[in-house]
C-alpha cells in the first residue's frame, strides 16, 4: 500500500505540482511583458510627440519667424522754392511726422519755427526710388509759398528736399500683433546684459531648463496649491510666447520644457536671444499688441532702441514681468519702483556700477504722451488703400510680409477736411452724416478721405460705399454732351424753361419743376447750368437722347445706371462720393480721364521695389468742349448757386463747381475744383430722411471751409487754339456786339458762332460802316 501510495503520489506530483508551478511561472513573465509593452508604447508615443514638437519648432521658427504687418505711409512732403504752402499748413505736416519742437533743430526728427521761418532736421529714409539722407534745412514760407530754401553748412543749397513720410497706419494679421524687428547687434549691450541678469542668470549655461528655477517654482506652487510661479528660462518664455498659450497648466509647462530643450538643440544662444527680443509682449495699444523691444522703444519713448539711455532700458526690462501692471503711463509709481529694482539687479550682477545706477534712478521715466495709434487714425483712407492693393496682393501678403506701402495721403488736407466736416455736422441735426473726398487735379492722387461724422470710426465708409442720388451733379454731363456738338450748341444757345410733362408706358406722368417753383422762359445754356434750372436740363437731355447722356457719364468715369429713365436727368442716379470725384476729375483735368489712385508704390521690408503705380492719362473729351463747360461751371461760383463760396474762396481763385440737392432735401452735394484741388462733399442721413439742407446750405459750406484752409492755385484754363470770344445776346442767343442790351462775352468754338445776328449788332454794324465812310472822306 505504501509503495502504491508513494507511486501515486509521485505520479500526481509529476502531473499536478509541476503544472501548478508552470502556471505561476507564466503569470509573472506575462505581467512583465505587458509592462514592457506599455512602456515601449509610451516611449513610442512620447517619441512621436517629441518628433511632432520638434517638427513644429523647426518649421515655424526657421526662416520667416514673424508675421510683420505692412507699414503704410503718407506721401512725402517735397519742399522747393515756389511751392504753394502756408506756414500753418507746413507746421501741420511737420506735426504729422511727430517731429519734436526743439531750439535749433539739432537732432533728426526735430524742427524750430520763428514766425514764417522754419529750421527742419529731417530723418533719413529709404524710399521706393532711393534713399534720402537726414539733413538740416532752413526755409521761409512768407506769402503762402516756400522761399529761401537752404542747407546750412552744405556746399550748395538743395533744389528739392523730400521729408520722410508720416506713418499713417498698418495692415495687420488676425492677431493684430505689431513689432519692429531688430538684430542682436543693434540692441544696446547693457539692455541685453540687464535682461539676462533679471530674467535668466544662467542663460548661457543651461540647455533650455533651469532646474534650480524649477525647484524654486515647484515649492511655491505646492505651498499655493496651484500654479503660481513658472521658474521659466528665457528660452521657455520664448517657447510660451511663440508656440503655446498663456494657460497655467502642468501639460502646457511640460510642453514648454520639452520644446525649450529642442529649441536649444537646434539653435544657438544668440539666435534664441534675438528671437526673444523681437517676440516678448510689452504693451497694448487699443487693439494692437506691441511685441518686441524695437517697437516698445518707439511706443514709449518715440525713438529707436539704439538711442535709449540706461534708465529707459531698465524700464523696458522691468516691464517684461507684467506690461499692464508696470505700465508707466497708467502706473508711473509702480513702473519706477520696478525700474529701480532692475537697476539694482544690474549692479549686483556687475552689468553697471553704482554711480551709473544712481544717475539712472535720479531721472524721470521719460515716457512720451500716447501719440496717434499706428493701427490708423484714418480708417476711411486706409479702406481705399486696401481696396487699391487688393488687385495685386493677397491679404496674407499685406499683413505678414512687412511690405512698405507709399500712399498719396496728404496730412494737412485730411486735417482741414475733417475739421470742416465735423464742425458743420455738429451744428446740424445729430442724425445727419457726411463724407468727403479730396483729390489733386494734376495727377488724380487722393489726398484725403472722410467716411463719416466720426473720422476715427472704422465702420461704414460713406465716401466709398454710400451710393446716393446725386441730384444736379448730373447736369455737367448733360451740358458736356451738348457742348460736344458745337454745330448745334454753344454757351449762348437759348434753352426753353417752360412746363413739360412726360408719360411712361404705364400712364405715370412726370412734370419736373425748378427748385424756385418758377419758369424763366428763354435762358442761355450757361445760365441754365449756373443757376441749376431743372426744366431746361430735362428738355436738353431729352433732345440729346438719354443714351448719349449716359455715354458721357460713363466716359467721365461714372457708374452707368442699371436702367435709363428721364428722371436720371435730374440726378435720380446713385453714386458714391468717390465715383463723383472720378467724374469731376475728368472735367477738372481738361477732359483727360485720370484714374484716381491712393497708392504710389510698394516695396519689400528691405526696400526692394515691387510695384509702382504710375500716372495713367487718356483723352476722353475734346479740350474745346471741356473748356466751355468749365467756363459755365465757374459762373456757378461767380453768379450762380455757389456764390456763397465767396465767404471762403477769393475771387482770383476762380473756382468751378456744382451744387446738388435731391427731392425733399434728402441729399446735399457739392463738387468743385480750383487749379490744383478737387473736392466732393455729401451730406445726408443713413436712413434717407430729410435734412432740410440744399447743396448750397449744406455740402457747399463744408467744401468752402475746407478749401479755405488749403493752399489753392487759381483756375485759369488756357483756351484751346480753336476757341474765340464773341458777344452773344442773352435772351435770343444771337450774335451781338459790346454795348448791346443783355449782351455777354462768351467763348465759342471757332467757326461755330450763332448764325443769326441781333438787330442791335446790325445797327451797330451799319453805324460803324457809316462812320468809317465819313472818316475816309476826311483822310
Amino acid at each position: 500500500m505504501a509503495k502504491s501510495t508513494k507511486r501515486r503520489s509521485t505520479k500526481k506530483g509529476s502531473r499536478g505540482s509541476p503544472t501548478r508551478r508552470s502556471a505561476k511561472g507564466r503569470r509573472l513573465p506575462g505581467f512583465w511583458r505587458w509592462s514592457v509593452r506599455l512602456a515601449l508604447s509610451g516611449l513610442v508615443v512620447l517619441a512621436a510627440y517629441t518628433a511632432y514638437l520638434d517638427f513644429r519648432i523647426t518649421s515655424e521658427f526657421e526662416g520667416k519667424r514673424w508675421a510683420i504687418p505692412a507699414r503704410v505711409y503718407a506721401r512725402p512732403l517735397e519742399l522747393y522754392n515756389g511751392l504753394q504752402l502756408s506756414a500753418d499748413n507746413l507746421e501741420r505736416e511737420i506735426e504729422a511726422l511727430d517731429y519734436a519742437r526743439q531750439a535749433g533743430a539739432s537732432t533728426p526728427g526735430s524742427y524750430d519755427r520763428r514766425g514764417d521761418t522754419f529750421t527742419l532736421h529731417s530723418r533719413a529714409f529709404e524710399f521706393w526710388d532711393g534713399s534720402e539722407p537726414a539733413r538740416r534745412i532752413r526755409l521761409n514760407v512768407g506769402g503762402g509759398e516756400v522761399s529761401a530754401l537752404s542747407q546750412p553748412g552744405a556746399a550748395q543749397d538743395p533744389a528739392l528736399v523730400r521729408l520722410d513720410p508720416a506713418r499713417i497706419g498698418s495692415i495687420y494679421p488676425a492677431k493684430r500683433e505689431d513689432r519692429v524687428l531688430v538684430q542682436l547687434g543693434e540692441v544696446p549691450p547693457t539692455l541685453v546684459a540687464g535682461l539676462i541678469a533679471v530674467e535668466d542668470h544662467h542663460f548661457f549655461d543651461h540647455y533650455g531648463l533651469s532646474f534650480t528655477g524649477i525647484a524654486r517654482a515647484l515649492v511655491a506652487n505646492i505651498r499655493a496649491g496651484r500654479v503660481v510661479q513658472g521658474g521659466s528660462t528665457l528660452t521657455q518664455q520664448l517657447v510660451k510666447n511663440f508656440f503655446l498659450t498663456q494657460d497655467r497648466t502642468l501639460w502646457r509647462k511640460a510642453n514648454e520644457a520639452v520644446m525649450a530643450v529642442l529649441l536649444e538643440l537646434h539653435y544657438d544662444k544668440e539666435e534664441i536671444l534675438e528671437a526673444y527680443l523681437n517676440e516678448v509682449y510689452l504693451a497694448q495699444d487699443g487693439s494692437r499688441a506691441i511685441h518686441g523691444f524695437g517697437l516698445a522703444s518707439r511706443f514709449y519713448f518715440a525713438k529707436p532702441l539704439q538711442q535709449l539711455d540706461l534708465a529707459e532700458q531698465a524700464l523696458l526690462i522691468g516691464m517684461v514681468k507684467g506690461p499692464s501692471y508696470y505700465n508707466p503711463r497708467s502706473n508711473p509709481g509702480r513702473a519706477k519702483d520696478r525700474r529701480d529694482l532692475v537697476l539694482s539687479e544690474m549692479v549686483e550682477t556687475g552689468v553697471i556700477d553704482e554711480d551709473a545706477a544712481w544717475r539712472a534712478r535720479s531721472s524721470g521715466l521719460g515716457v512720451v504722451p500716447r501719440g496717434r495709434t499706428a493701427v490708423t487714425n484714418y480708417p476711411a483712407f486706409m479702406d481705399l488703400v486696401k481696396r487699391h492693393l487688393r488687385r495685386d496682393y493677397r491679404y496674407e501678403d499685406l499683413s505678414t510680409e512687412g511690405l512698405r506701402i507709399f500712399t498719396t495721403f496728404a496730412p494737412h488736407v485730411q486735417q482741414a477736411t475733417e475739421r470742416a466736416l465735423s464742425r458743420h455736422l455738429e451744428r446740424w441735426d445729430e442724425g445727419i452724416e457726411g463724407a468727403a473726398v479730396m483729390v489733386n487735379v494734376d495727377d488724380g492722387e487722393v489726398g484725403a478721405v472722410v467716411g463719416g461724422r466720426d473720422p476715427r470710426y472704422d465702420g461704414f465708409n460713406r465716401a466709398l460705399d454710400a451710393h446716393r442720388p446725386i441730384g444736379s451733379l448730373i447736369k455737367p454731363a448733360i451740358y458736356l454732351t451738348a457742348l460736344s456738338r458745337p454745330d448745334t450748341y454753344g454757351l449762348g444757345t437759348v434753352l426753353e424753361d417752360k412746363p413739360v410733362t412726360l408719360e411712361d408706358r404705364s400712364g405715370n406722368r412726370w412734370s419736373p419743376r425748378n427748385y424756385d417753383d418758377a419758369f424763366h422762359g428763354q435762358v442761355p445754356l450757361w445760365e441754365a447750368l449756373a443757376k441749376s434750372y431743372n426744366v431746361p436740363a430735362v428738355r436738353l437731355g431729352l433732345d440729346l437722347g438719354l443714351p448719349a447722356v449716359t455715354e458721357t457719364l460713363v466716359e467721365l468715369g461714372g457708374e452707368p445706371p442699371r436702367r435709363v429713365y428721364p428722371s436720371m436727368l435730374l440726378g435720380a442716379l446713385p453714386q458714391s462720393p468717390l465715383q463723383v470725384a472720378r467724374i469731376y476729375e475728368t472735367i477738372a483735368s481738361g477732359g483727360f480721364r485720370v484714374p484716381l489712385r491712393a497708392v504710389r508704390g510698394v516695396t519689400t521690408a528691405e526696400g526692394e521695389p515691387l510695384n509702382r503705380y504710375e500716372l495713367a492719362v487718356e483723352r476722353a473729351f475734346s479740350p474745346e468742349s471741356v473748356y466751355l463747360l468749365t467756363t459755365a461751371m465757374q459762373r456757378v461760383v461767380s453768379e450762380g448757386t455757389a456764390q456763397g463760396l465767396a465767404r471762403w474762396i477769393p475771387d482770383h481763385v476762380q473756382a468751378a463747381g456744382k451744387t446738388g440737392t435731391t427731392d425733399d432735401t434728402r441729399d446735399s452735394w457739392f463738387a468743385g475744383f480750383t487749379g490744383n484741388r478737387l473736392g466732393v462733399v455729401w451730406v445726408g442721413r443713413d436712413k434717407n430722411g430729410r435734412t432740410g439742407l440744399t447743396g448750397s446750405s449744406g455740402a457747399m459750406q463744408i467744401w468752402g471751409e475746407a478749401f479755405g484752409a488749403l493752399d489753392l492755385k487759381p483756375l485759369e484754363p488756357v483756351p484751346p487754339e480753336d476757341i474765340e470770344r464773341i458777344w452773344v445776346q442773352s435772351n435770343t442767343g444771337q450774335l451781338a456786339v459790346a454795348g448791346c442790351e443783355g449782351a455777354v462775352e462768351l467763348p465759342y468754338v471757332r467757326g461755330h458762332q450763332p448764325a443769326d445776328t441781333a438787330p442791335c449788332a446790325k445797327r451797330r454794324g451799319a453805324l460803324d460802316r457809316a462812320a468809317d465812310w465819313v472818316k475816309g472822306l476826311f483822310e
Side-chain angles (χ1 to χ4, degrees):
M1 290 292 293
K3 186 177 180 179
S4 176
T5 303
K6 185 177 179 179
R7 194 182 300 121
R8 287 196 298 271
S9 173
T10 302
K11 185 176 180 181
K12 185 177 180 181
S14 65
R15 292 183 179 181
S17 296
T19 300
R20 287 194 295 272
R21 286 196 300 271
S22 177
K24 288 181 180 179
R26 283 197 300 273
R27 280 197 295 273
L28 288 174
F31 168 77
W32 286 110
R33 280 199 301 275
W34 281 108
S35 298
V36 170
R37 287 175 184 172
L38 187 61
L40 289 174
S41 298
L43 288 173
V44 170
V45 171
L46 180 61
Y49 187 66
T50 303
Y52 160 72
L53 294 180
D54 189 69
F55 172 76
R56 277 195 65 189
I57 286 172
T58 55
S59 61
E60 295 180 30
F61 196 79
E62 191 63 45
K64 182 175 67 65
R65 300 180 183 177
W66 291 278
I68 307 299
R71 314 292 184 191
V72 184
Y73 297 94
R75 61 95 180 92
L77 181 62
E78 296 180 337
L79 300 172
Y80 55 89
N81 283 321
L83 171 67
Q84 285 195 291
L85 186 67
S86 70
D88 289 343
N89 281 337
L90 173 57
E91 187 159 32
R92 292 185 182 104
E93 289 280 338
I94 295 170
E95 289 171 346
L97 291 169
D98 287 329
Y99 277 29
R101 191 157 189 171
Q102 180 188 84
S106 58
T107 58
S110 64
Y111 81 102
D112 189 10
R113 178 181 180 181
R114 305 292 173 88
D116 291 340
T117 300
F118 288 78
T119 302
L120 305 177
H121 201 144
S122 66
R123 305 184 185 103
F125 195 84
E126 189 71 31
F127 287 96
W128 64 89
D129 57 355
S131 59
E132 186 79 19
R135 48 179 157 180
R136 187 168 171 269
I137 62 169
R138 186 172 293 126
L139 68 156
N140 185 273
V141 285
E145 70 175 32
V146 174
S147 62
L149 181 63
S150 64
Q151 184 172 347
Q156 61 182 21
D157 293 334
L160 182 146
V161 174
R162 181 165 53 172
L163 300 183
D164 49 299
R167 181 177 165 193
I168 62 171
S170 296
I171 300 175
Y172 288 93
K175 293 183 179 179
R176 300 187 78 81
E177 294 181 358
D178 198 4
R179 54 179 55 77
V180 171
L181 293 183
V182 295
Q183 296 179 336
L184 189 58
E186 299 171 333
V187 183
T190 47
L191 191 152
V192 175
L195 178 67
I196 292 172
V198 172
E199 292 294 326
D200 191 352
H201 285 284
H202 306 292
F203 174 72
F204 286 104
D205 301 322
H206 61 63
Y207 291 94
L209 301 177
S210 171
F211 293 102
T212 56
I214 292 173
R216 185 171 59 251
L218 183 61
V219 171
N221 294 337
I222 291 173
R223 288 176 175 173
R226 57 190 177 89
V227 179
V228 295
Q229 187 173 325
S232 299
T233 63
L234 284 179
T235 311
Q236 287 176 274
Q237 292 180 41
L238 176 60
V239 165
K240 178 181 68 175
N241 291 334
F242 203 97
F243 299 102
L244 304 174
T245 68
Q246 300 297 316
D247 297 337
R248 287 179 174 270
T249 63
L250 291 176
W251 175 249
R252 200 268 292 160
K253 289 296 294 182
N255 278 327
E256 178 186 297
V258 173
M259 294 177 81
V261 173
L262 293 172
L263 192 66
E264 294 262 2
L265 290 175
H266 283 291
Y267 304 99
D268 60 36
K269 292 289 186 179
E270 285 72 21
E271 288 180 286
I272 293 171
L273 186 56
E274 183 176 289
Y276 181 91
L277 291 166
N278 285 304
E279 176 61 27
V280 63
Y281 170 70
L282 287 169
Q284 191 70 33
D285 179 25
S287 61
R288 177 179 67 143
I290 306 295
H291 285 259
F293 284 87
L295 182 57
S297 173
R298 297 176 185 273
F299 181 66
Y300 285 115
F301 306 111
K303 54 186 176 182
L305 189 60
Q306 301 93 316
Q307 295 181 12
L308 296 189
D309 62 28
L310 183 59
E312 293 163 341
Q313 295 172 30
L315 179 61
L316 291 186
I317 293 169
M319 292 181 64
V320 170
K321 185 176 181 181
S324 177
Y325 188 78
Y326 297 109
N327 186 327
R329 290 194 178 107
S330 56
N331 302 301
R334 195 182 293 162
K336 184 179 185 305
D337 291 343
R338 176 65 180 165
R339 181 201 67 178
D340 294 348
L341 180 62
V342 169
L343 291 168
S344 297
E345 288 279 344
M346 294 172 73
V347 171
E348 190 174 322
T349 53
V351 176
I352 58 175
D353 58 32
E354 184 56 50
D355 286 343
W358 181 85
R359 288 192 298 271
R361 290 191 198 101
S362 301
S363 65
L365 294 179
V367 176
V368 298
R370 184 186 296 271
R372 60 181 63 85
T373 173
V375 173
T376 185
N377 267 347
Y378 314 105
F381 187 87
M382 285 290 292
D383 189 9
L384 180 61
V385 169
K386 291 174 185 176
R387 297 187 196 196
H388 184 128
L389 294 171
R390 210 175 282 163
R391 296 173 294 180
D392 301 313
Y393 297 93
R394 299 179 308 157
Y395 187 81
E396 291 77 11
D397 296 331
L398 294 173
S399 61
T400 63
E401 297 294 336
L403 301 182
R404 300 162 79 230
I405 299 164
F406 297 92
T407 74
T408 60
F409 183 86
H412 82 275
V413 178
Q414 178 77 22
Q415 188 182 92
T417 308
E418 289 181 2
R419 188 170 56 244
L421 189 139
S422 297
R423 198 177 79 81
H424 284 280
L425 291 184
E426 287 173 3
R427 291 173 44 224
W428 299 327
D429 188 282
E430 189 174 289
I432 295 178
E433 275 290 354
V437 177
M438 298 291 181
V439 179
N440 283 347
V441 168
D442 291 339
D443 49 24
E445 291 191 342
V446 180
V449 180
V450 183
R453 174 184 285 266
D454 180 2
R456 305 291 167 260
Y457 175 61
D458 188 6
F460 182 56
N461 188 347
R462 295 165 186 83
L464 277 57
D465 296 325
H467 296 264
R468 302 298 295 257
I470 61 174
S472 293
L473 294 195
I474 188 69
K475 289 175 181 174
I478 302 172
Y479 290 102
L480 180 58
T481 307
L483 294 170
S484 297
R485 304 176 185 182
D487 54 335
T488 307
Y489 297 98
L491 290 180
T493 300
V494 171
L495 304 178
E496 287 190 336
D497 184 10
K498 62 181 184 180
V500 61
T501 298
L502 303 176
E503 187 173 316
D504 64 16
R505 294 176 182 176
S506 302
N508 298 314
R509 307 183 75 185
W510 180 52
S511 300
R513 305 183 69 83
N514 294 319
Y515 184 77
D516 62 3
D517 208 26
F519 295 99
H520 309 89
Q522 303 284 97
V523 294
L525 184 147
W526 70 264
E527 184 180 338
L529 176 59
K531 297 187 177 178
S532 200
Y533 294 147
N534 290 337
V535 177
V538 171
R539 285 181 171 274
L540 177 60
L542 293 174
D543 289 343
L544 295 166
L546 296 180
V549 175
T550 301
E551 182 180 353
T552 297
L553 177 72
V554 173
E555 286 295 303
L556 284 169
E559 288 292 317
R562 294 181 180 178
R563 298 182 67 182
V564 176
Y565 294 102
S567 58
M568 178 191 80
L569 298 171
L570 294 185
L573 176 70
Q575 304 276 296
S576 71
L578 183 67
Q579 289 167 340
V580 172
R582 289 194 185 104
I583 294 170
Y584 278 75
E585 166 64 16
T586 306
I587 300 171
S589 63
F592 288 98
R593 190 164 44 246
V594 183
L596 303 186
R597 57 178 180 152
V599 179
R600 288 184 176 180
V602 179
T603 74
T604 64
E606 294 74 30
E608 179 185 349
L610 294 177
N611 280 85
R612 288 290 303 275
Y613 295 94
E614 303 288 353
L615 178 64
V617 177
E618 180 184 6
R619 167 65 72 181
F621 296 92
S622 71
E624 294 81 10
S625 59
V626 177
Y627 178 84
L628 297 178
L629 177 64
T630 301
T631 299
M633 293 177 66
Q634 286 179 304
R635 288 182 175 255
V636 173
V637 175
S638 64
E639 51 197 289
T641 57
Q643 291 181 71
L645 284 178
R647 175 181 174 187
W648 298 282
I649 311 299
D651 289 342
H652 77 273
V653 173
Q654 302 184 66
K658 187 69 192 76
T659 55
T661 311
T662 61
D663 288 347
D664 296 326
T665 64
R666 297 179 190 277
D667 300 275
S668 168
W669 290 88
F670 188 79
F673 53 94
T674 65
N676 60 333
R677 301 191 187 281
L678 160 70
V680 175
V681 178
W682 167 83
V683 173
R685 297 183 187 273
D686 289 339
K687 295 184 178 180
N688 200 33
R690 296 183 62 179
T691 65
L693 299 169
T694 64
S696 299
S697 64
M700 191 194 77
Q701 305 290 312
I702 296 170
W703 189 99
E705 182 170 325
F707 267 61
L710 302 178
D711 306 292
L712 306 176
K713 289 182 179 179
L715 177 57
E716 299 172 327
V718 178
E721 290 184 2
D722 285 340
I723 291 293
E724 61 178 348
R725 298 188 71 84
I726 62 174
W727 289 88
V728 177
Q729 198 164 44
S730 296
N731 59 344
T732 65
Q734 295 174 326
L735 192 64
V737 293
C740 285
E741 184 180 356
V744 59
E745 190 179 28
L746 298 171
Y748 262 76
V749 178
R750 196 179 308 277
H752 294 282
Q753 69 232 34
D756 297 330
T757 302
C760 171
K762 292 178 181 179
R763 289 194 299 272
R764 285 292 183 93
L767 290 173
D768 289 342
R769 286 192 298 273
D772 289 340
W773 180 78
V774 172
K775 182 179 180 182
L777 292 176
F778 293 95
E779 289 181 351

